[in-house]
Amino acid sequence: MTVVTIAREGKIAVVTVDNPPVNALSQAVRQGLCEAVAALDADPGVAAVVLTCAGRTFIAGADVNEFGKPPQPPHLPDAISAIEMAAKPWIAAIHGSALGGGFEVALGCRFRLAAREASVGLPEVTLGIVPGAGGTVRTVRLAGVEVAVDLVTTGKPVRALRAIELGLIDRIVEGDLRSGAVTFAENLADELPVPLSLRAAPSMPETFWENAEGAIAKRVRGEIAPLRALACLRRATEVDFASAMAFERTTFLNLRASKQAAALRHVFFAERAAPRPAPLAGIETRPLRNAAVIGGGTMGAGIAAAFRDAGLPVILIERDDAAVERGLANLKAIFDGAVKRGRLTEVAAEARLAGVIGSTDYAALADCDLVIEAVFEELSVKRQVFDELGRVCRADAVLATNTSYLDPREIAQGLPRPGRFIGLHFFSPANVMKLLEIVPTPETDAATLATGFALARLLGKVPVRAGICEGFIGNRILKRYRAEAEALVRQGVAIADVDAAMRAFGFAMGPFEAQDLGGLDIAFLQREGARAAGLDVPETLGDILVRAGRKGQKTGGGWYDYKPGDRRAHPSQEVDQLLHGHIKPAAALDAAAIADRLVSAMAREGEAILAEGVAERASDIDLVEIHGYGFPRWRGGPMFCISPGG
Ligand code: T1G
């Protein structure tokens, strides 16, 4: 298949890249571009060249599938240099996303035009690398250092309207992009902009670089690429173009072979595989035009907010009017918070809330496509809800539970047409956390399961299918992680050392700090419930603390002490006294050994989960840990960590 074609519109040549699905810069595309430069330079009838792409997007970057292989010529920097130094000016016409190598190609063009909905970016750091074809060197020359630092070290793409403000593109084309670009090319001024490689680079004071480095180091918690990208940007302002390109390329090739890059590629492909499980290909999903949530507490309100963010009209059901008011107030607080953080305008927040109807009447659900309950984690309470839903909902409505610990089969017992029932386990805050554990029962039919995945795509969630066991995938591994952390403390390792080790590993918080934030009593009540049910559940160190009234930050103390109004954790003498006799004398263990011990324990539980078929593939477990439990993305997940490449 020819991936690069040339067409003529008068004296304008239109070069089209057509390499589905996202026009990645495979060897064939690079070859085709180089040949197009040579052919068009040699054609006296051509005055200028428009570069466009077929399909849904402009070039989305280098072909990530080629990363594990030795680079094949023509290399991208050379292809871009050929475009930049071509005798005829090239104009990039961008639709969809111009990302990574795709934006670097556009930087090699004399002009960058874009459709209004397009976006541009250099997301290489999200793959553990840096731009490898001039992204750092040309962007500082095009848009200045501050814009380049933000674009390259965060990896966040920029929408066209913002990109033009930042000087990253020259013009937004309304209407048909191709004809707009051809018209632009036909009317070029005689004097063309100087190619970026020939422009001087701006310089910045030492303090700028020191501050930038400090801010990035604080944000990335051990991730390498953003700081290496900053070093490339700095070099681009301090040496000539060729030397800066060489430095960038060396950095790129060096990082491409790194463990962090391998981990981030693993996550990249895992995230792309997750929303479309092969067994569900071709299965028709049920309609998702509206939804309802039973229960307006923290989880219910968060789920309703996620539905509203996706544009679904929502009915919120609560047991009485006062509870309905509280539920709506919880929702309002979520949207107000988004306004404060600049994520929503006031008008948008009002529209979000206006799309929610609060009610106590289950009859209002007669025409709902999907209903999810998020009521108290008590079997009898949940059963009552499904008795009502079974009575009022349509036969083809999807009925879901947000339970995190109960057995969905028991919740669905007695429900008419159980094929429409499924577990959809959201994570708090449900409108923010990306993970969605999808838990079918043996009765769940294929259409309902496929609809669960369709809902995840609609909400922008990362869906992972989980089998039924206590805690499904995520909470089961969490339980193992915490038990292993406690085992270290029993061995004499300091609580603060365990937390410090996991922060150094890349987590935002260690296991004990996280429990103090969430509350030690949640897991305690579960264990007490199991003990009351006659199960032999050993006493944990956490139980000792809860029995002493230490439930975490909310009681001023858990594993640590907290001063009123201050969330900083302070080692606690009372904890030392309470746990005295349960822990061995102090034992030193270095941070790497602690992290290795805890991550290995998570991975072993993951292996058991895989062996039992509770998870379908190891990468799903990694996605659960990364998108639900704060496992550092650049580590790839516990299963990746124990894999040969990890
Ligand atoms: N290479 C190879 N395959 C890619 C790809 C890429 N760069 N990007 C996407 N795909 C595949 C993906 O695996 C999936 O395949 C299909 O395309 C659709 O993707 C030198 C070295 C463009 C915004 O980081 O952000 O350039 O599962 O489901 O939601 O400096 O894909 O169907 O078989 O994500 O519409 C930098 C990565 C590379 C962009 C489209 N570029 N891609 O999102 O579709 S590094 C990136 C994306 C680089 C240079 C360096 C998104 C998208 P399958 P999708 P989407």
Side-chain angles (χ1 to χ4, degrees):
M1 181 187 145
T2 313
V3 291
V4 177
T5 55
I6 301 174
R8 288 288 297 275
E9 300 213 11
K11 56 187 172 68
I12 307 301
V14 179
V15 172
T16 302
V17 174
D18 187 2
N19 183 30
V22 292
N23 293 312
L25 285 155
S26 62
Q27 192 281 337
V29 171
R30 301 192 303 270
Q31 184 73 42
L33 288 172
C34 291
E35 288 167 2
V37 171
L40 298 170
D41 271 2
D43 184 337
V46 170
V49 183
V50 167
L51 173 62
T52 186
C53 290
R56 63 184 173 181
T57 183
F58 192 77
I59 300 166
D63 189 335
V64 179
N65 297 303
E66 290 186 358
F67 282 18
K69 308 171 191 133
Q72 296 300 318
H75 300 299
L76 190 54
D78 305 327
I80 294 172
S81 179
I83 289 171
E84 188 180 50
M85 292 306 156
K88 321 292 168 73
W90 283 55
I91 296 140
I94 300 168
H95 74 292
S97 309
L99 299 174
F103 188 55
E104 289 173 307
V105 167
L107 289 169
C109 296
R110 295 300 179 96
F111 297 95
R112 284 149 292 281
L113 313 183
R116 177 174 287 276
E117 309 72 36
S119 61
V120 302
L122 293 168
E124 282 84 348
V125 291
T126 66
L127 289 167
I129 55 177
V130 297
T136 63
V137 192
R138 288 191 171 90
T139 306
V140 291
R141 284 166 166 76
L142 176 67
V145 173
E146 276 138 322
V147 170
V149 166
D150 188 50
L151 193 73
V152 175
T153 64
T154 67
K156 289 202 181 97
V158 177
R159 303 299 298 258
L161 285 172
R162 181 75 182 127
I164 200 161
E165 287 168 7
L166 297 173
L168 293 167
I169 61 171
D170 299 284
R171 183 172 296 184
I172 290 183
V173 176
E174 306 296 354
D176 181 66
L177 177 65
R178 180 187 167 119
S179 56
V182 168
T183 307
F184 179 90
E186 287 165 343
N187 298 292
L188 288 180
D190 295 341
E191 196 173 335
L192 294 171
V194 176
L196 294 174
S197 62
L198 303 180
R199 296 187 197 180
S203 66
M204 295 299 272
E206 178 68 25
T207 47
F208 170 84
W209 297 111
E210 284 167 2
N211 296 341
E213 187 170 343
I216 293 169
K218 196 156 167 258
R219 174 172 54 88
V220 297
R221 286 200 292 267
E223 203 173 343
I224 299 169
L227 289 166
R228 300 288 291 277
L230 185 73
C232 292
L233 290 159
R234 178 170 190 167
R235 187 67 61 100
T237 66
E238 293 173 347
V239 299
D240 63 67
F241 182 82
S243 309
M245 286 292 287
F247 181 82
E248 180 198 76
R249 188 74 182 171
T250 307
T251 306
F252 162 72
L253 292 171
N254 176 284
L255 285 175
R256 202 177 71 150
S258 71
K259 213 155 109 178
Q260 290 196 8
L264 287 162
R265 276 199 300 278
H266 162 74
V267 178
F268 176 86
F269 285 114
E271 283 170 344
R272 266 130 199 103
R276 291 184 187 78
L280 294 176
I283 302 283
E284 200 180 324
T285 59
R286 299 245 165 79
L288 282 173
R289 297 158 299 193
N290 57 52
V293 180
I294 317 297
T298 307
M299 284 310 296
I303 295 170
F307 288 163
R308 288 300 300 136
D309 288 343
L312 289 176
V314 171
I315 298 176
L316 181 69
I317 297 282
E318 263 287 5
R319 62 182 178 281
D320 58 43
D321 293 340
V324 168
E325 286 316 308
R326 280 196 303 276
L328 293 174
N330 288 341
L331 256 167
K332 185 172 185 317
I334 291 173
F335 296 134
D336 289 350
V339 171
K340 273 206 205 86
R341 285 189 299 281
R343 296 238 177 93
L344 275 186
T345 63
E346 298 249 2
V347 174
E350 279 159 25
R352 291 277 201 287
L353 199 58
V356 182
I357 298 169
S359 172
T360 58
D361 185 2
Y362 276 80
L365 308 179
D367 195 32
C368 271
D369 289 338
L370 180 138
V371 183
I372 180 167
E373 66 74 22
V375 299
F376 191 63
E377 193 76 344
E378 173 66 42
L379 186 57
S380 60
V381 177
K382 291 188 185 286
R383 281 249 184 92
Q384 278 169 14
V385 169
F386 284 98
D387 289 348
E388 287 289 334
L389 297 180
R391 199 173 51 75
V392 299
C393 291
R394 281 195 339 251
D396 68 335
V398 171
L399 305 181
T401 173
N402 179 56
T403 186
S404 36
Y405 278 98
L406 297 175
D407 185 329
R409 292 168 295 192
E410 292 182 13
I411 296 172
Q413 234 163 46
L415 179 71
R417 285 177 293 282
R420 60 185 166 163
F421 178 88
I422 193 165
L424 294 176
H425 181 212
F426 286 78
F427 289 76
S428 186
N431 59 314
V432 176
M433 296 297 283
K434 296 274 283 179
L435 181 64
L436 180 63
E437 280 185 324
I438 298 184
V439 191
T441 69
E443 280 84 28
T444 301
D445 61 36
T448 299
L449 181 57
T451 307
F453 280 87
L455 178 73
R457 291 193 296 273
L458 180 67
L459 301 180
K461 301 289 185 194
V462 174
V464 169
R465 178 176 180 163
I468 295 176
C469 66
E470 194 205 329
F472 309 135
I473 298 174
N475 284 338
R476 176 171 164 178
I477 291 177
L478 179 66
K479 188 175 171 187
R480 188 80 195 76
Y481 172 56
R482 288 180 172 167
E484 198 67 24
E486 281 208 9
L488 281 167
V489 172
R490 285 182 191 276
Q491 261 180 263
V493 179
I495 293 165
D497 289 352
V498 174
D499 281 344
M502 296 320 283
R503 284 198 308 275
F505 183 81
F507 279 87
M509 277 187 172
F512 299 114
E513 296 157 324
Q515 279 180 65
D516 275 0
L517 181 66
L520 281 71
D521 49 332
I522 300 164
F524 169 76
L525 290 172
Q526 241 137 39
R527 288 188 291 271
E528 288 290 86
R531 290 174 188 129
L535 296 175
D536 173 24
V537 180
E539 184 81 344
T540 70
L541 299 180
D543 293 343
I544 296 170
L545 299 183
V546 174
R547 292 188 203 287
R550 300 183 64 90
K551 298 178 180 173
Q553 289 189 13
K554 58 187 169 189
T555 56
W559 293 98
Y560 297 93
D561 289 339
Y562 299 86
K563 297 195 176 82
D566 180 356
R567 284 176 176 268
R568 278 171 299 168
H570 303 278
S572 165
Q573 284 184 345
E574 188 191 3
V575 169
D576 293 345
Q577 284 154 11
L578 284 167
L579 299 185
H580 185 72
H582 298 273
I583 58 180
K584 293 200 178 112
L589 202 58
D590 72 33
I594 292 172
D596 186 48
R597 168 98 172 253
L598 295 182
V599 172
S600 305
M602 295 164 91
R604 282 198 302 278
E605 194 65 28
E607 286 169 338
I609 284 171
L610 277 172
E612 294 166 28
V614 171
E616 296 193 319
R617 54 196 155 195
S619 63
D620 280 354
I621 296 173
D622 289 333
L623 291 180
V624 165
E625 293 306 314
I626 289 166
H627 288 291
Y629 297 82
F631 199 100
R633 188 186 172 86
W634 51 272
R635 297 275 189 182
M639 307 313 286
F640 180 83
C641 284
I642 62 158
S643 71

